[in-house]
Amino acid sequence: MLNRAAVVPDFHSSLQALYGALRKARALTDGFFARLTPQAMYARSIAERHRVIFYLGHLEAFDWNLLGHRVFGQKAIQPELEQLFAFGIDPVDGQLPRDEPSDWPTISVVQSFCQQIRRHLDATIERWITTCTAPSRSIRDALEMALEHRLMHLETLSYKLPHLPLTSFVPDSFVPLSEQPGPNRPGYDRVGVPHQPRIVNIPAGPVTIGRNRDDYFGWDNEFCAQTVQVPAFAIAARNVTNGEFLSFVLDGGYQERTLWTDPDWQWKTSRNLALPILWSPRGKDYFARASFEELPLPLDWPVTVSLAEARAYVRYLHAKDPHTTARLPSEAELHRAAYADAEAWTAQTQDAVAEAALRQFPWPGPEAVPLVHGNFGGIRHDPCPVGAFPEGDSPLGVADLYGNGWEWTQTPFRPLTDFQIDPRYPGYSQPFFDDKHFVIRGASATTDVRFLRRSFRNWFQAHYPYVFATFRCVYDHRAQSPS
């Protein structure tokens, strides 16, 4: 028989740990806003997103609407502001927001709103943890949802940093590359030199996308696991670098109409794009904007581009070499590259298959350690050179599958079989099943470790160049190295 006396204290401790994690995440988002000048708080550094001031209020409004209203049944505190800050935006087809800075409340009004929300919510959470007499999964999951929502926004807010003028930051808030820990040399000896990436053969086998419903928190698009049989293929051991993409630029890739699909060309032309969005020419040289500084183009970093630009690059490879089989990977192929173990699958034993299926990460062991297994976890703000984390390689030798940039796939973001909308956040996934959003896999430098779980699914529009995302090519099995 279940020992309730043992279960409730354990549940208390798990709730206290979640509540503590939420408070730590608040400190991180508070730290982000504290870097910015008052003028920068009203900037719209990304045209498709709200001004920064929205996110200051949104994080608390989301927590209150989810936990205060839906879970604990509390009445509205400031209904007008709770509604104003309720929802973010992701416009498609060029429908950009047109609000002005004057349309938003002052910083002091928003800060007062946030403080009021936190006081009420903290008192309610602390009272409930103290007095609860039985475990409640709904409350635990709601706390996890609030925590992960905030950590997601911490990352997407970081996408704004390279697009803000350097005058947007308060003194002493800069974190230049020289002060960011992590390796500064590429692992070309393992992953292949520029223009000749090492090609890794991946044997045919099954992968599981998502997971079955269990006792742990997940977003609605993660559930109803789907097993896919993946044919044998080959994959580049590393991502495309800035240096390699520079060849595409210098060869006129942005001006060559045949390299772009009709929608991609129309988008590129409407934006007057002639370079990756973080690059800028300076005489005959190119510079790149990092989070807090501009620097000569780091040739060994993974290139950060939209899916549209990645697709054009692949067509460029075909124009250079008609025999290449290069293409962008599918969601299933990136899963397979991360977890396939040639010996385990060849053995075809139940134990070997089960072991591979249960492995949480491409590398051995149950932990993901930032700047050991990859560039993730928010320790750095900017990328590292490709292939710099050998301990994070997959069993077959594919590098950087988690960290240093999300990776574009050619897979449209769609629901798994028997998908069910989560009523606590009905707009999280379903509005984006439109074949205009595509799955990205992996993690960026600013991705929290929580999102490295193998069932997590992320997505962005093909024409969104602001996400910290890169790409690599896959090929027919046993394909020769591209020229």
Side-chain angles (χ1 to χ4, degrees):
M1 180 178 294
L2 184 65
N3 185 339
R4 182 175 295 274
V7 170
V8 173
D10 182 66
F11 185 67
H12 281 159
S13 63
S14 67
L15 286 182
Q16 287 283 12
L18 272 177
Y19 179 44
L22 177 61
R23 292 170 70 93
K24 289 180 180 178
R26 286 176 180 170
L28 293 174
T29 52
D30 289 349
F32 175 89
F33 296 119
R35 294 183 187 276
L36 303 181
T37 64
Q39 293 78 13
M41 290 295 294
Y42 289 90
R44 193 198 310 278
S45 60
I46 295 177
E48 291 88 344
R49 293 295 183 260
H50 277 307
R51 300 179 188 278
V52 178
I53 189 68
F54 165 82
Y55 299 96
L56 177 64
H58 172 65
L59 296 174
E60 309 310 324
F62 180 91
D63 289 357
W64 182 250
N65 289 329
L66 172 66
L67 291 161
H69 288 331
R70 295 193 179 190
V71 173
F72 296 116
Q74 299 290 305
K75 295 180 180 179
I77 298 175
Q78 295 195 45
E80 185 175 338
L81 292 182
E82 290 168 30
Q83 181 60 34
L84 176 65
F85 294 116
F87 301 107
I89 54 174
D90 185 18
V92 296
D93 300 329
Q95 300 174 4
L96 302 179
R98 298 180 179 180
D99 57 90
E100 297 294 333
S102 58
D103 295 329
W104 295 90
T106 64
I107 294 175
S108 61
V109 167
V110 180
Q111 289 175 331
S112 176
F113 166 72
C114 293
Q115 293 165 2
Q116 189 177 16
I117 290 292
R118 285 190 187 180
R119 285 196 303 270
H120 280 76
L121 191 56
D122 286 354
T124 303
I125 292 173
E126 291 167 5
R127 183 168 58 250
W128 194 90
I129 291 176
T130 302
T131 60
C132 73
T133 58
S136 169
R137 178 172 176 175
S138 64
I139 291 179
R140 184 201 68 188
D141 281 1
L143 281 170
E144 296 235 35
M145 181 175 282
L147 170 61
E148 292 204 355
H149 171 265
R150 184 176 291 267
L151 292 172
M152 287 179 191
H153 272 294
L154 180 63
E155 174 170 1
T156 57
L157 283 167
S158 74
Y159 300 166
K160 295 177 179 290
L161 293 177
H163 302 282
L164 287 167
L166 294 177
T167 55
S168 300
F169 305 106
V170 300
D172 300 324
S173 70
F174 290 79
V175 186
L177 284 169
S178 60
E179 296 179 10
Q180 297 182 35
N184 55 19
R185 293 182 180 274
Y188 287 140
D189 58 331
R190 294 181 1 269
V191 298
V193 298
H195 300 285
Q196 292 183 329
R198 177 173 166 248
I199 304 300
V200 179
N201 280 324
I202 308 295
V207 297
T208 299
I209 308 295
R211 72 182 201 255
N212 292 319
R213 297 190 182 278
D214 51 32
D215 291 333
Y216 300 96
F217 173 76
W219 297 90
D220 53 13
N221 65 68
E222 294 182 57
F223 293 115
C224 303
Q226 182 173 306
T227 299
V228 179
Q229 295 294 327
V230 181
F233 66 100
I235 188 169
R238 59 167 173 79
N239 290 301
V240 173
T241 64
N242 281 332
E244 290 166 330
F245 202 85
L246 179 60
S247 296
F248 168 78
V249 172
L250 295 177
D251 285 347
Y254 277 85
Q255 291 74 42
E256 179 52 59
R257 176 66 182 82
T258 60
L259 301 181
W260 301 77
T261 67
D262 289 345
D264 290 351
W265 180 261
Q266 182 179 0
W267 167 76
K268 179 199 74 71
T269 303
S270 69
R271 299 291 296 268
N272 295 315
L273 283 181
L275 294 168
I277 200 164
L278 293 177
W279 295 17
S280 60
R282 193 171 296 177
K284 294 183 179 181
D285 298 320
Y286 289 89
F287 280 65
R289 174 62 193 270
S291 294
F292 300 101
E293 61 189 306
E294 194 172 35
L295 63 155
L297 184 66
L299 298 179
D300 300 323
W301 283 10
V303 67
T304 299
V305 289
S306 66
L307 177 58
E309 292 160 292
R311 291 192 287 221
Y313 181 86
V314 172
R315 288 191 174 193
Y316 166 73
L317 295 181
H318 282 261
K320 289 180 60 182
D321 177 9
H323 300 292
T324 186
T325 60
R327 56 183 171 80
L328 293 176
S330 67
E331 178 183 14
E333 285 172 330
L334 281 185
H335 266 282
R336 184 85 180 120
Y339 298 106
D341 184 318
E343 294 181 2
W345 291 110
T346 301
Q348 291 297 310
T349 65
Q350 290 186 349
D351 289 345
V353 172
E355 181 180 355
L358 290 173
R359 189 169 62 235
Q360 287 299 305
F361 307 107
W363 51 86
E367 294 183 331
V369 182
L371 300 187
V372 173
H373 295 117
N375 182 17
F376 51 76
I379 308 300
R380 286 177 63 91
H381 297 273
D382 297 302
C384 289
V386 296
F389 301 95
E391 292 189 50
D393 288 359
S394 76
L396 296 179
V398 185
D400 299 334
L401 286 162
Y402 281 102
N404 226 28
W406 293 91
E407 295 193 33
W408 287 109
T409 77
Q410 61 177 325
T411 302
F413 180 56
R414 293 172 181 164
L416 301 178
T417 304
D418 299 324
F419 167 80
Q420 297 178 20
I421 293 174
D422 189 329
R424 294 167 300 191
Y425 194 166
Y428 178 72
S429 302
Q430 193 275 334
F432 308 104
F433 299 146
D434 57 5
D435 284 350
K436 295 181 180 179
H437 292 76
F438 290 78
V439 173
I440 56 175
R441 286 280 305 160
S444 78
T446 57
T447 304
D448 190 82
V449 172
R450 293 179 67 94
F451 303 115
L452 270 61
R453 60 179 180 268
R454 60 187 292 171
S455 63
F456 185 74
R457 304 179 75 212
N458 200 1
W459 67 93
F460 274 92
Q461 291 186 49
H463 298 156
Y464 192 75
Y466 306 100
V467 58
F468 291 163
T470 184
F471 69 100
R472 73 180 79 210
C473 292
V474 297
Y475 308 85
D476 289 350
H477 195 245
R478 300 186 182 278
Q480 63 182 13
S481 298
S483 60

